[in-house]
Amino acid sequence: GAVVSQHPSRVICKSGTSVKIECRSLDFQATTMFWYRQFPKQSLMLMATSNEGSKATYEQGVEKDKFLINHASLTLSTLTVTSAHPEDSSFYICSARVAAGRGYTFGSGTRLTVV
Amino acid sequence: DAKTTQPNSMESNEEEPVHLPCNHSTISGTDYIHWYRQLPSQGPEYVIHGLTSNVNNRMASLAIAEDRKSSTLILHRATLRDAAVYYCIPQTSGSRLTFGEGTQLTVNP
């Protein structure tokens, strides 16, 4: 089946540094990818929609200058958390729709801890 | 986005059927009904989706009410590996998925 590979699975970074998270569609082309964030014991919250070759669309309240999204190819989207702070510590998950009429597939998530 | 109402939690015994309900009374006529599940520290996993007719796949069955204001996900024989948070999500074709709180399913051995 369709797979979205997400890396890294875990990352610890110092406050003020930047972290890049990658999501690759392994056996299909993803013109659109979605980025979510999940805090402990909460549901997934959509952060942004990433479109290949164009600017991402951010949800209300999500700082686009802090969460940089790049979708330069049909198989790769990246999320960069810039100047990370402890409150950015969360579980970040990407997703893509495989094809019309089919479900969405999700990456395995990235646990970010900012110390 | 249509609002959904799901029980916060449900319990089942292993090898018994489980019926997970979802109310989505504000669903529009063209919204698909998606179900996903999430195990701890993992990304969500697609379970099933449908529009009007009941749907079956190797994982589960989806029963959709005639008025489409509710649906039920059916796991025919629960296993310990089915313990997860189950999300019911009405979705406009091609658009993003908006997650609600879901139902935490506990499966007892």
Side-chain angles (χ1 to χ4, degrees):
Chain A
V3 174
V4 168
S5 176
Q6 184 172 346
H7 293 280
S9 58
R10 285 181 180 274
V11 59
I12 300 172
C13 72
K14 290 187 177 179
S15 193
T17 62
S18 295
V19 172
K20 181 187 281 189
I21 302 169
E22 288 190 353
C23 266
R24 293 180 185 274
S25 56
L26 295 188
D27 45 7
F28 68 101
Q29 293 183 331
T31 54
T32 302
M33 281 197 177
F34 304 92
W35 287 93
Y36 294 84
R37 178 168 54 181
Q38 186 176 32
F39 292 108
K41 299 196 185 304
Q42 294 187 22
S43 187
L44 283 77
M45 184 182 73
L46 181 67
M47 299 175 66
T49 301
S50 154
N51 299 296
E52 186 266 334
S54 65
K55 289 184 179 179
T57 304
Y58 290 81
E59 296 298 304
Q60 195 170 9
V62 178
E63 300 174 60
K64 61 182 180 183
D65 294 330
K66 181 170 184 62
F67 299 99
L68 301 180
I69 290 173
N70 184 283
H71 195 155
S73 79
L74 287 170
T75 59
L76 175 64
S77 177
T78 62
L79 167 68
T80 301
V81 183
T82 63
S83 186
H85 291 284
E87 57 265 30
D88 299 322
S89 298
S90 189
F91 192 52
Y92 293 85
I93 308 165
C94 62
S95 171
R97 188 175 66 143
V98 178
R102 294 183 60 180
Y104 290 62
T105 188
F106 287 80
S108 53
T110 298
R111 176 79 57 195
L112 171 63
T113 303
V114 184
V115 297
Chain B
D1 296 330
K3 257 193 118 172
T4 58
T5 303
Q6 296 181 254
N8 288 334
S9 61
M10 289 185 67
E11 263 190 68
S12 172
N13 296 321
E14 207 175 1
E15 298 193 5
E16 289 185 357
V18 182
H19 290 231
L20 296 162
C22 180
N23 285 326
H24 32 75
S25 57
T26 60
I27 194 170
S28 79
T30 54
D31 284 354
Y32 285 82
I33 299 157
H34 285 244
W35 283 81
Y36 290 78
R37 69 182 186 183
Q38 186 181 25
L39 277 67
S41 298
Q42 294 187 27
E45 175 188 27
Y46 168 79
V47 178
I48 201 166
H49 79 289
L51 186 61
T52 55
S53 305
N54 293 345
V55 185
N56 300 297
N57 66 20
R58 63 177 178 80
M59 287 181 73
S61 295
L62 176 60
I64 301 172
E66 204 169 322
D67 62 7
R68 295 194 356 106
K69 293 185 177 182
S70 65
S71 61
T72 301
L73 180 70
I74 303 164
L75 306 179
H76 295 286
R77 288 181 70 209
T79 70
L80 297 178
R81 290 190 295 178
D82 291 323
V85 179
Y86 286 78
Y87 297 98
C88 155
I89 308 173
Q91 183 249 353
T92 302
S93 179
S95 75
R96 79 275 179 98
L97 295 175
T98 302
F99 285 76
E101 297 306 313
T103 296
Q104 173 69 63
L105 175 65
T106 301
V107 181
N108 300 313

